[in-house]
Amino acid sequence: MPSLLCFKTLLTNNFGHLHLYGCHTVVLYASPPILFSQTLYLVLAAGDFKHAIHSNYALGRRGPLAWLQFLDNHMVDCVTPPGQNPQPTFYRALSSTTIDYILASPDLHPRTTDSQALLSKIENSCILHSSCTLSFRGRATVMNSLILAQLWHVLHVVSFPVSFLKKIRTLMRRFFCFCSFPPIALDTLCLPCFQGGLGILDPITQQCALQLRWLKPIIQNPLGPCGLVPKWMASLLRTENTDCDPLLLWIFPDSRPRTHCSLDSPLHLVLKAIDHLPHKFDDVLTNLSTCLMLPLSSMVNHLYQIDHNLDVLMPIAPARPLPRFITLNCILQRLLNHSLVAHPILFRACIPTFILESRHLDMPPQDGSPFDFDPFISALVLGKPWSHLSTRSYRLTCSHHHANAQPLSPHLSPRQLHSFWSFALPYRARNVWFRGLHNKLSCQALLHHIMPFTVSSPLCNICQMSIETQEHFLLSCPLKSVVWLGIWLEFFGTVPPPSALSSAFTSFLFPLTLNSSIPATSVFGLTILAI
């Protein structure tokens, strides 16, 4: 298999093969250099054809017929979708050459990725590893490092629809629910370990996190980012909006051209990455000049109205987007009669200067200073510096997307959760204890709540006296209390007080054992498993 050269090599080193034909330039590079051969596989071609490769594009000279036939038969356009007019990829102002087309063999082209084949491979791998005796922590390791390994590689460059990524999440959910009912929500398992989860990588968030290699240089220097690809991305977004601040296009989706809203846009992944961050701008302080640059549609979706009964501002949360026929005059009229109050950004910008200077020293004055979108950029990552933003910290910042995540109750500190995973326990005992911390053990009360027609009564099957909650199921049932009394007398030498068992289960608070070589956590965990 020939080794491929990268774009940086193409621009700085010698070409594998350079062929000039009039104003057309074709660069085919591989090792060894080969041209128009039946053995031309895994070869990337980049050429300046003056927009004349596709027959449906009228501008520019057409290339030689033999070249065009070869490209149609053996290469795939990586930039322009079939049936659409091509767009320039690199510009002379940003690179040492003009590359109007990026062509690759079908083996390399990311659009040829068979999503169904990838989905089937992940499903088969989940079925195979479900039969293995793994702990929850082991399943998380297998899922992140083995089952989804190929997916992480593909998500670097391929824009999959949300429906495909949801199917991946469904397979992940089935894998972790195998022989575990009631199941723990996948969003809960996606939380980091110090928050009670397993640190499972969510495909939607992880694909966005992988785009930081392009996004960080653009945000840190939007006019001249480092690297060829970030420069191309920044220039491509500014092509249709050259008058506004470049950061405005990245922060507010409503200010972008509609051509970049589809999966076919070369900027789809990097724009999705910044849109995935929390856009909570209620506490942003900026000047009046910047406020006037904000798109009105973004401010309309964050409106407030006055509740005259309580004399407070109440946020408006429309069930559907506001209709397009609402005009600016109608909005301004409601603002004037105080039936509608704009987003806090605009609300604070309307405070007179003398009030700002006397009462609100932390607010910038309305002095017509230059546009400043840095407060918005900082708010996207909750005040963290962009230079220190990593894929891990990005995922933590985007944890608000795990809407179905259920935190532990009672709350455990990160140190307590770290100690839990270090207990000397067999994996089955740890699995039961972990499910119990999330209130997902198969007690009668929970099963009756989930399946009332299958489990007709929430009463305990053993004592037939009390509702079988999780605490009753494990600790307080009269017959099981006798077991705990014997365990406590044998290993701890005391009679357990009423709260001792509950504190041991939820907070890991144990008395000293009579035999120091036997850990208290092992005694407790194995007893839970036996019960």
Coordinates of all heavy atoms in Angstrom, one line a residue, residues 352-412:
P352 N -28.9 54.0 31.2 CA -28.2 55.3 30.9 C -26.8 55.3 31.5 O -26.5 54.6 32.5 CB -29.1 56.4 31.6 CG -30.5 55.7 31.7 CD -30.2 54.3 31.8
T353 N -25.9 56.1 30.9 CA -24.5 56.1 31.2 C -24.3 56.6 32.7 O -23.5 56.0 33.4 CB -23.7 57.0 30.3 OG1 -24.0 56.5 28.9 CG2 -22.3 56.9 30.6
F354 N -25.1 57.6 33.1 CA -24.8 58.1 34.5 C -25.2 57.1 35.5 O -24.7 57.1 36.6 CB -25.6 59.4 34.6 CG -27.1 59.3 34.7 CD1 -27.8 59.1 35.9 CD2 -27.9 59.3 33.5 CE1 -29.1 59.0 36.0 CE2 -29.2 59.2 33.6 CZ -29.9 59.0 34.8
I355 N -26.2 56.2 35.2 CA -26.6 55.2 36.2 C -25.5 54.1 36.2 O -25.1 53.6 37.3 CB -27.9 54.6 35.8 CG1 -29.0 55.6 35.9 CG2 -28.2 53.4 36.7 CD1 -30.4 55.1 35.6
L356 N -24.9 53.8 35.0 CA -23.8 52.8 35.0 C -22.7 53.3 35.8 O -22.0 52.5 36.6 CB -23.4 52.6 33.6 CG -24.3 51.7 32.7 CD1 -23.7 51.6 31.3 CD2 -24.5 50.3 33.2
E357 N -22.3 54.5 35.7 CA -21.1 55.1 36.4 C -21.3 55.1 37.9 O -20.4 55.0 38.7 CB -20.8 56.5 35.8 CG -20.4 56.4 34.4 CD -20.2 57.8 33.8 OE1 -20.5 58.8 34.5 OE2 -19.6 58.0 32.7
S358 N -22.6 55.3 38.3 CA -22.8 55.5 39.8 C -23.2 54.2 40.5 O -22.9 54.0 41.7 CB -23.9 56.5 40.0 OG -25.1 56.1 39.4
R359 N -23.9 53.3 39.8 CA -24.4 52.1 40.5 C -23.9 50.8 40.0 O -23.9 49.8 40.7 CB -26.0 52.1 40.4 CG -26.6 53.3 41.0 CD -28.1 53.2 40.9 NE -28.8 54.4 41.3 CZ -30.1 54.6 41.3 NH1 -30.9 53.6 40.9 NH2 -30.7 55.7 41.7
H360 N -23.5 50.7 38.8 CA -23.0 49.5 38.2 C -21.6 49.7 37.6 O -21.4 49.8 36.4 CB -24.0 49.0 37.1 CG -25.4 48.9 37.5 ND1 -25.9 47.8 38.3 CD2 -26.5 49.7 37.4 CE1 -27.2 48.0 38.5 NE2 -27.6 49.1 38.0
L361 N -20.7 49.6 38.5 CA -19.3 49.9 38.1 C -18.7 48.7 37.2 O -17.8 48.9 36.5 CB -18.4 50.1 39.3 CG -18.8 51.3 40.2 CD1 -17.9 51.4 41.4 CD2 -18.7 52.6 39.4
D362 N -19.3 47.5 37.4 CA -18.8 46.4 36.6 C -19.3 46.3 35.2 O -18.8 45.5 34.4 CB -19.2 45.1 37.3 CG -20.7 44.9 37.5 OD1 -21.4 46.0 37.5 OD2 -21.2 43.8 37.7
M363 N -20.2 47.2 34.8 CA -20.8 47.2 33.5 C -20.0 48.1 32.6 O -19.7 49.3 33.0 CB -22.3 47.6 33.4 CG -23.2 46.5 34.1 SD -24.9 46.9 33.8 CE -25.7 45.6 34.7
P364 N -19.6 47.8 31.4 CA -18.9 48.7 30.5 C -19.8 49.8 30.0 O -21.0 49.7 29.9 CB -18.5 47.8 29.3 CG -19.5 46.7 29.3 CD -19.9 46.5 30.7
P365 N -19.2 51.0 29.9 CA -20.0 52.2 29.4 C -20.4 52.0 28.0 O -19.8 51.3 27.2 CB -19.0 53.3 29.7 CG -17.7 52.7 29.5 CD -17.8 51.4 30.1
Q366 N -21.5 52.8 27.6 CA -22.0 52.8 26.3 C -21.2 53.9 25.5 O -21.8 55.0 25.2 CB -23.5 53.0 26.2 CG -24.2 52.0 27.1 CD -25.7 52.4 27.2 OE1 -26.2 53.3 26.6 NE2 -26.4 51.7 28.1
D367 N -20.0 53.7 25.2 CA -19.2 54.8 24.6 C -18.9 54.6 23.2 O -18.1 55.2 22.6 CB -17.8 54.9 25.4 CG -17.1 53.5 25.4 OD1 -17.7 52.6 24.9 OD2 -16.0 53.5 25.9
G368 N -19.6 53.6 22.5 CA -19.4 53.4 21.1 C -18.0 52.8 20.8 O -17.5 53.0 19.7
S369 N -17.5 52.1 21.8 CA -16.2 51.4 21.6 C -16.3 50.3 20.6 O -17.4 49.9 20.2 CB -15.7 50.9 22.9 OG -16.6 50.0 23.5
P370 N -15.1 49.8 20.1 CA -15.2 48.8 19.0 C -15.9 47.6 19.5 O -16.0 47.3 20.7 CB -13.7 48.6 18.7 CG -13.0 49.8 19.2 CD -13.8 50.3 20.3
F371 N -16.3 46.8 18.5 CA -16.9 45.5 18.8 C -16.1 44.6 19.6 O -14.9 44.5 19.4 CB -17.3 44.8 17.5 CG -18.1 45.6 16.5 CD1 -17.8 45.7 15.2 CD2 -19.2 46.3 17.0 CE1 -18.5 46.4 14.3 CE2 -19.9 47.1 16.1 CZ -19.6 47.2 14.7
D372 N -16.7 44.0 20.6 CA -15.9 43.1 21.5 C -16.8 41.9 21.8 O -17.7 41.9 22.6 CB -15.6 43.8 22.8 CG -14.8 43.0 23.8 OD1 -14.2 42.0 23.3 OD2 -14.7 43.3 25.0
F373 N -16.4 40.8 21.1 CA -17.1 39.5 21.3 C -16.4 38.6 22.2 O -16.8 37.4 22.4 CB -17.4 38.8 19.9 CG -18.4 39.5 19.1 CD1 -18.1 40.5 18.1 CD2 -19.8 39.2 19.3 CE1 -19.0 41.1 17.4 CE2 -20.7 39.9 18.5 CZ -20.4 40.8 17.6
D374 N -15.3 39.0 22.8 CA -14.6 38.2 23.8 C -15.4 37.7 24.9 O -15.3 36.5 25.4 CB -13.3 38.9 24.3 CG -12.3 39.0 23.2 OD1 -12.4 38.3 22.2 OD2 -11.4 39.9 23.3
P375 N -16.3 38.6 25.5 CA -17.2 38.0 26.6 C -18.1 36.9 26.2 O -18.3 35.9 27.0 CB -18.0 39.3 27.0 CG -17.2 40.4 26.6 CD -16.5 40.0 25.4
F376 N -18.6 36.9 24.9 CA -19.4 35.8 24.5 C -18.5 34.5 24.3 O -19.0 33.4 24.6 CB -20.0 36.2 23.1 CG -21.0 37.3 23.2 CD1 -20.6 38.6 23.0 CD2 -22.3 37.0 23.5 CE1 -21.5 39.6 23.1 CE2 -23.3 38.1 23.6 CZ -22.9 39.4 23.4
I377 N -17.3 34.7 23.7 CA -16.4 33.6 23.5 C -16.1 32.9 24.9 O -16.0 31.7 25.0 CB -15.2 34.0 22.8 CG1 -15.5 34.4 21.4 CG2 -14.1 32.9 22.8 CD1 -16.0 33.3 20.5
S378 N -15.8 33.8 25.9 CA -15.5 33.2 27.2 C -16.7 32.5 27.9 O -16.6 31.5 28.5 CB -15.0 34.4 28.1 OG -14.7 33.9 29.4
A379 N -17.9 33.1 27.6 CA -19.1 32.5 28.2 C -19.4 31.1 27.6 O -20.0 30.2 28.2 CB -20.3 33.4 28.0
L380 N -19.0 30.9 26.3 CA -19.2 29.6 25.7 C -18.6 28.4 26.5 O -19.1 27.3 26.5 CB -18.7 29.6 24.2 CG -19.5 30.4 23.2 CD1 -18.8 30.4 21.9 CD2 -20.9 29.8 23.1
V381 N -17.4 28.7 27.0 CA -16.6 27.6 27.8 C -16.6 27.9 29.2 O -15.7 27.5 30.0 CB -15.2 27.5 27.2 CG1 -15.2 27.0 25.8 CG2 -14.5 28.9 27.2
L382 N -17.6 28.7 29.7 CA -17.8 28.9 31.1 C -16.6 29.6 31.8 O -16.3 29.2 32.9 CB -18.2 27.6 31.9 CG -19.4 26.8 31.2 CD1 -19.7 25.6 32.0 CD2 -20.6 27.7 31.2
G383 N -16.0 30.5 31.1 CA -14.9 31.2 31.7 C -13.5 30.6 31.6 O -12.5 31.2 32.0
K384 N -13.4 29.4 31.0 CA -12.1 28.7 30.9 C -11.4 29.3 29.7 O -12.0 29.7 28.7 CB -12.3 27.2 30.6 CG -13.1 26.5 31.7 CD -13.2 25.0 31.4 CE -14.1 24.3 32.4 NZ -15.5 24.6 32.2
P385 N -10.1 29.4 29.8 CA -9.3 29.9 28.6 C -9.3 28.9 27.5 O -9.2 27.7 27.7 CB -7.9 30.0 29.2 CG -7.8 29.1 30.4 CD -9.2 29.1 30.9
W386 N -9.6 29.4 26.3 CA -9.7 28.5 25.1 C -8.3 27.8 24.8 O -8.3 26.7 24.3 CB -10.1 29.3 23.9 CG -11.5 29.5 23.7 CD1 -12.3 30.4 24.4 CD2 -12.4 28.7 22.9 NE1 -13.6 30.2 24.0 CE2 -13.7 29.2 23.1 CE3 -12.2 27.6 22.1 CZ2 -14.8 28.6 22.5 CZ3 -13.3 27.1 21.4 CH2 -14.6 27.6 21.6
S387 N -7.2 28.4 25.2 CA -5.9 27.7 25.0 C -5.8 26.5 25.8 O -5.0 25.6 25.4 CB -4.8 28.7 25.3 OG -4.9 29.1 26.6
H388 N -6.5 26.3 26.9 CA -6.4 25.2 27.8 C -7.5 24.2 27.5 O -7.6 23.2 28.3 CB -6.4 25.6 29.2 CG -5.2 26.4 29.6 ND1 -5.1 27.2 30.8 CD2 -4.0 26.6 29.0 CE1 -4.0 27.8 30.8 NE2 -3.3 27.5 29.8
L389 N -8.4 24.5 26.6 CA -9.5 23.6 26.3 C -9.1 22.3 25.6 O -8.5 22.3 24.6 CB -10.6 24.3 25.4 CG -11.9 23.7 25.3 CD1 -12.7 23.7 26.6 CD2 -12.8 24.4 24.3
S390 N -9.4 21.2 26.2 CA -9.1 19.9 25.7 C -10.4 19.2 25.4 O -11.5 19.6 25.7 CB -8.3 19.1 26.7 OG -9.0 18.9 27.9
T391 N -10.3 18.0 24.8 CA -11.5 17.2 24.5 C -12.2 16.8 25.8 O -13.5 16.8 25.8 CB -11.1 16.0 23.7 OG1 -10.1 15.2 24.4 CG2 -10.6 16.3 22.3
R392 N -11.5 16.5 26.8 CA -12.1 16.2 28.1 C -12.9 17.3 28.7 O -14.0 17.2 29.1 CB -11.1 15.6 29.0 CG -11.6 15.2 30.4 CD -10.6 14.7 31.3 NE -11.1 14.3 32.6 CZ -10.4 13.8 33.6 NH1 -9.1 13.8 33.5 NH2 -11.0 13.5 34.8
S393 N -12.2 18.5 28.8 CA -12.9 19.7 29.3 C -14.0 20.1 28.4 O -15.0 20.7 28.9 CB -11.9 20.8 29.5 OG -11.2 21.1 28.3
Y394 N -13.9 19.9 27.1 CA -15.0 20.2 26.2 C -16.2 19.3 26.6 O -17.4 19.8 26.6 CB -14.6 20.0 24.8 CG -15.7 20.3 23.8 CD1 -15.8 21.5 23.2 CD2 -16.6 19.3 23.4 CE1 -16.8 21.8 22.3 CE2 -17.6 19.5 22.5 CZ -17.7 20.8 21.9 OH -18.7 21.0 21.0
R395 N -16.0 18.0 26.8 CA -17.1 17.2 27.1 C -17.8 17.6 28.5 O -19.0 17.5 28.6 CB -16.7 15.7 27.2 CG -16.3 15.1 25.8 CD -16.1 13.6 25.9 NE -15.0 13.2 26.8 CZ -13.8 13.0 26.5 NH1 -13.4 13.2 25.2 NH2 -12.9 12.6 27.4
L396 N -17.0 18.0 29.4 CA -17.5 18.4 30.7 C -18.3 19.7 30.5 O -19.4 19.9 31.2 CB -16.4 18.7 31.7 CG -15.6 17.5 32.2 CD1 -14.5 17.9 33.1 CD2 -16.6 16.5 33.0
T397 N -17.9 20.6 29.7 CA -18.6 21.8 29.4 C -20.0 21.5 28.8 O -20.9 22.3 29.0 CB -17.8 22.8 28.5 OG1 -16.5 23.0 29.1 CG2 -18.5 24.1 28.3
C398 N -20.0 20.5 27.9 CA -21.2 20.2 27.2 C -22.1 19.1 28.0 O -23.0 18.5 27.3 CB -20.9 19.6 25.8 SG -20.1 20.8 24.8
S399 N -21.9 18.9 29.3 CA -22.6 18.0 30.0 C -24.1 18.3 30.1 O -24.9 17.5 30.5 CB -22.0 17.8 31.4 OG -22.0 19.0 32.1
H400 N -24.5 19.6 29.8 CA -25.9 20.0 29.9 C -26.7 19.3 28.8 O -28.0 19.3 28.9 CB -26.0 21.5 29.7 CG -25.5 22.0 28.3 ND1 -24.2 22.1 28.0 CD2 -26.2 22.4 27.2 CE1 -24.1 22.5 26.7 NE2 -25.3 22.7 26.3
H401 N -26.1 18.7 27.8 CA -26.9 17.9 26.8 C -27.4 16.6 27.4 O -28.2 15.9 26.8 CB -26.0 17.7 25.6 CG -25.8 18.9 24.8 ND1 -26.8 19.5 24.0 CD2 -24.7 19.7 24.7 CE1 -26.3 20.6 23.4 NE2 -25.0 20.7 23.8
H402 N -26.8 16.1 28.5 CA -27.3 14.9 29.1 C -28.5 15.2 30.0 O -28.5 15.2 31.2 CB -26.2 14.2 30.0 CG -24.9 14.0 29.2 ND1 -24.9 13.4 28.0 CD2 -23.6 14.2 29.5 CE1 -23.7 13.2 27.5 NE2 -22.9 13.7 28.4
A403 N -29.6 15.4 29.3 CA -30.8 15.9 30.0 C -31.4 14.8 30.8 O -32.1 15.1 31.8 CB -31.9 16.4 28.9
N404 N -31.2 13.5 30.5 CA -31.8 12.5 31.3 C -30.9 11.9 32.4 O -31.2 10.9 33.0 CB -32.2 11.3 30.3 CG -33.3 11.7 29.3 OD1 -34.2 12.5 29.7 ND2 -33.2 11.2 28.1
A405 N -29.8 12.6 32.6 CA -28.9 12.1 33.6 C -29.5 12.3 35.0 O -30.1 13.4 35.3 CB -27.5 12.8 33.5
Q406 N -29.3 11.3 35.9 CA -29.9 11.4 37.2 C -28.7 11.4 38.2 O -28.0 10.4 38.3 CB -30.8 10.2 37.5 CG -32.0 10.2 36.5 CD -32.9 9.0 36.7 OE1 -32.6 8.1 37.5 NE2 -34.0 8.9 36.0
P407 N -28.5 12.5 38.9 CA -27.4 12.5 39.8 C -27.6 11.6 41.0 O -28.7 11.2 41.3 CB -27.3 14.0 40.3 CG -28.7 14.5 40.1 CD -29.2 13.7 38.9
L408 N -26.5 11.2 41.7 CA -26.6 10.3 42.8 C -27.3 11.0 44.0 O -27.2 12.2 44.2 CB -25.2 9.9 43.3 CG -24.4 9.0 42.3 CD1 -23.0 8.7 42.9 CD2 -25.1 7.7 42.1
S409 N -28.1 10.3 44.7 CA -28.8 10.8 45.9 C -28.7 9.7 47.0 O -29.2 8.6 46.9 CB -30.3 11.1 45.6 OG -30.9 11.5 46.7
P410 N -28.0 10.1 48.1 CA -27.4 11.3 48.4 C -26.1 11.5 47.6 O -25.5 10.6 47.1 CB -27.1 11.2 49.9 CG -26.9 9.7 50.1 CD -27.9 9.1 49.2
H411 N -25.7 12.8 47.6 CA -24.5 13.2 46.8 C -23.2 12.6 47.4 O -23.0 12.5 48.6 CB -24.4 14.7 46.7 CG -23.1 15.2 46.0 ND1 -23.0 15.1 44.6 CD2 -22.0 15.7 46.5 CE1 -21.8 15.6 44.3 NE2 -21.2 16.0 45.4
L412 N -22.3 12.1 46.5 CA -21.0 11.6 46.9 C -19.9 12.5 46.3 O -20.0 12.9 45.2 CB -20.8 10.2 46.4 CG -21.7 9.1 47.1 CD1 -21.5 7.7 46.4 CD2 -21.5 9.0 48.6

